[in-house]
Amino acid sequence: MPSTRHALIAGATATALLLAGCAGAGGGGTGGGDGESINVLMVGNPQMEDIAKLTKSTFTKDTGIKVNFTILPENELRDKVTQDIATQAGQYDVATIGAYEVPIWEQNGWLQELDSYADKDKSFDKADLLKPMVKSLSGEDGKLYALPFYGESSFLMYNKDVMKEKGITVPERPTWQQVADIAAEVDGARPGMKGICLRGLAGWGELGAPLTSMVNTFGGTWFTKDWKAQVNSPKFKEATNFYVDLVKKHGEAGAPQAGFTECLNAMSQGKVAMWYDATSAAGSLEDPKTSKVAGKVGYAYAPTVETANSGWLWAWAWAMPKTTKKADAASKFMLWASSKKYEELVGEKLGWPRVPAGKRASTYALPEYAKASSGFGDVTLQSIQQANPSDPGVQPRPTVGIQFVAVPEFQDLGTKVTQEISAAIAGKTSVDKALGDGQKLAEEVAKNYR
């Protein structure tokens, strides 16, 4: 993509940051010795909360490098990291970003390449990283611009006890209609229990992720190969109506405000019988210290309609902005946080289900992890390997992406469209109105590429 296209998001975020009156403070110095500190911005998922707890007593103790963590909910994280990196404010030395941002931001020259650091550290074993993760986090030059902390696809999680009580067998590869039928049957199976949890919280990476994966398998797409907007097309509309109806009829309480975290809590506390979301959620669900359903969850492949597979592909990964003045210390933290050694630390200190997996082949060969992930490990790995960002639907795409469209404008487009769809879930507007408005926005984006 020409750099002029990427400049659109840079200009927009720069304006937003100036209006907000934000400022950065990168800090000086290089190297990684005693008394040095780095600032790390990361999303507030369980795996990140784990590393925040473990860093001081391990990494800092061993290296003398203090790590100052800023942990934010997903939508807030995306806004904050985009503002900081796009405007080169330099407040953070490391940030968690993903497969959407990496190729775009690399072309804009915002990220430090990481191959030179990974290649020097033989214990890091770059060749052990799963190929789909490496590809999704690499630039056009083939170099890594982010190191995966954990990788994921998506699948269906369900309460095995509830299904057994109802005499229901969940297929290994269900269709969305089968899921909807099961949701109706198990809704209210226990006091206060709903049939399914699906994200209803607006955001291209919140509601937009499961919805877009559903749109793909229903036969829809955001854009055709020649950049014709398809947001109000019959297939896109069919999928969206199906999603909204399913949530309204059998979904979680407070669905318009429910994102990944809220659905994780609902499933782990036994408030919903099923949940379609990220494979990375399984580790938390199987932790008996935090989950009431540990050992009681079944896992099936992402539901389909017209496609053979529909799971998405994502990695929360460590990236280093070019603005950092502490590249050596930052790289040491990133290599440690993505290492085999760190995975073993989590397994030994916190429990093997909580290992930030989905990024290394060797993880799935560890006897301890294989035992702890016996219910979900194989499905997770197969889902990651089967995901096809270049061809996720039934028609050719103009760019890569399963649960997103890999252009800078999608961050704004996806968020605005999902705001309208979230409002439809809340009963404040209709799907037709939401997608009609979304089509106009998508057409404006398409003009930049035709």
Side-chain angles (χ1 to χ4, degrees):
M1 255 169 262
S3 59
T4 52
R5 291 172 181 167
H6 301 303
L8 293 171
I9 194 172
T13 50
T15 301
L17 190 60
L18 288 170
L19 289 173
C22 298
T30 59
D34 292 342
E36 185 165 17
S37 66
I38 58 172
N39 296 326
V40 177
L41 175 63
M42 59 188 185
V43 67
N45 289 345
Q47 294 87 342
M48 284 70 173
E49 293 170 358
D50 286 346
I51 199 170
K53 295 174 184 175
L54 294 171
T55 297
K56 183 177 180 180
S57 61
T58 52
F59 175 77
T60 300
K61 182 180 178 181
D62 292 341
T63 66
I65 301 169
K66 181 182 178 182
V67 183
N68 304 311
F69 291 106
T70 299
I71 306 175
L72 296 174
E74 184 169 329
N75 284 343
E76 293 179 33
L77 176 281
R78 294 188 191 282
D79 288 343
K80 185 74 170 176
V81 73
T82 301
Q83 290 171 353
D84 187 71
I85 294 181
T87 61
Q88 300 186 46
Q91 186 175 359
Y92 299 98
D93 304 294
V94 178
T96 53
I97 63 175
Y100 167 71
E101 293 92 353
V102 170
I104 297 172
W105 293 6
E106 177 271 321
Q107 286 193 21
N108 279 350
W110 297 342
L111 303 177
Q112 175 67 47
E113 63 85 15
L114 301 175
D115 269 2
S116 58
Y117 297 98
D119 290 341
K120 289 178 183 176
D121 186 350
K122 299 304 179 184
S123 67
F124 181 75
D125 192 4
K126 192 176 72 174
D128 183 46
L129 298 175
L130 296 175
K131 290 182 180 179
M133 296 302 151
V134 172
K135 186 175 182 180
S136 69
L137 300 175
S138 297
E140 288 190 347
D141 57 6
K143 296 180 180 179
L144 279 168
Y145 283 82
L147 300 180
F149 183 42
Y150 66 86
E152 66 184 35
S153 183
S154 55
F155 58 18
L156 183 72
M157 298 157 273
Y158 59 91
N159 189 308
K160 292 190 292 186
D161 286 355
V162 170
M163 300 304 164
K164 185 176 180 180
E165 291 166 9
K166 289 289 186 177
I168 298 170
T169 299
V170 178
E172 182 183 42
R173 294 183 179 273
T175 65
W176 269 113
Q177 188 56 57
Q178 287 174 324
V179 171
D181 291 343
I182 294 171
E185 196 166 346
V186 298
D187 197 348
R190 294 177 180 174
M193 176 176 279
K194 301 300 293 182
I196 193 167
C197 205
L198 291 171
R199 303 186 197 182
L201 181 66
W204 73 265
E206 283 283 7
L207 166 58
L211 175 64
T212 301
S213 71
M214 184 183 284
V215 167
N216 292 335
T217 194
F218 267 74
T221 182
W222 284 83
F223 300 98
T224 63
K225 187 177 182 180
D226 56 353
W227 285 104
K228 292 180 181 177
Q230 298 290 294
V231 175
N232 68 348
S233 65
K235 291 294 187 179
F236 202 115
K237 190 173 294 185
E238 181 186 0
T240 306
N241 274 311
F242 186 94
Y243 192 103
V244 171
D245 289 346
L246 182 54
V247 177
K248 291 175 74 172
K249 290 177 181 177
H250 307 298
E252 70 278 10
Q257 287 77 46
F260 172 84
T261 300
E262 290 74 20
C263 282
L264 173 59
N265 290 337
M267 185 71 188
S268 65
Q269 297 306 305
K271 296 180 180 179
V272 295
M274 291 189 294
W275 178 26
Y276 169 63
D277 214 298
T279 56
S280 58
S284 296
L285 293 180
E286 297 297 343
D287 183 356
K289 294 188 289 292
T290 58
S291 173
K292 293 181 179 179
V293 297
K296 302 176 182 178
V297 182
Y299 303 89
Y301 289 92
T304 57
V305 179
E306 295 187 23
T307 58
N309 307 296
S310 70
W312 68 59
L313 184 68
W314 184 256
W316 278 113
W318 307 108
M320 185 197 303
K322 277 196 173 178
T323 50
T324 182
K325 296 177 181 178
K326 302 180 178 181
D328 187 50
S331 67
K332 287 180 180 178
F333 169 77
M334 296 162 70
L335 290 166
W336 171 76
S338 291
S339 68
K340 298 176 185 179
K341 183 179 179 180
Y342 177 75
E343 290 191 347
E344 292 170 1
L345 174 69
V346 173
E348 293 167 359
K349 296 288 186 181
L350 303 178
W352 288 98
R354 286 167 66 169
V355 167
K359 66 177 181 291
R360 289 185 172 277
S362 61
T363 307
Y364 295 88
L366 289 171
E368 299 93 339
Y369 185 74
K371 181 179 179 181
S373 67
S374 60
F376 62 87
D378 287 345
V379 181
T380 296
L381 187 57
Q382 289 298 317
S383 296
I384 289 172
Q385 292 173 335
Q386 292 171 2
N388 186 357
S390 299
D391 187 22
V394 302
Q395 70 283 93
R397 306 299 171 96
T399 185
V400 298
I402 298 176
Q403 75 277 25
F404 57 83
V405 182
V407 293
E409 299 90 340
F410 186 73
Q411 180 162 306
D412 182 59
L413 172 64
T415 296
K416 286 180 177 176
V417 173
T418 56
Q419 285 171 346
E420 291 296 308
I421 295 171
S422 182
I425 293 173
K428 297 179 179 179
T429 189
S430 67
V431 169
D432 282 355
K433 174 71 164 55
L435 298 187
D437 292 344
Q439 176 70 11
K440 296 175 184 176
L441 295 171
E443 287 173 351
E444 288 301 310
V445 169
K447 287 179 182 178
N448 296 320
Y449 297 91
R450 283 204 295 268

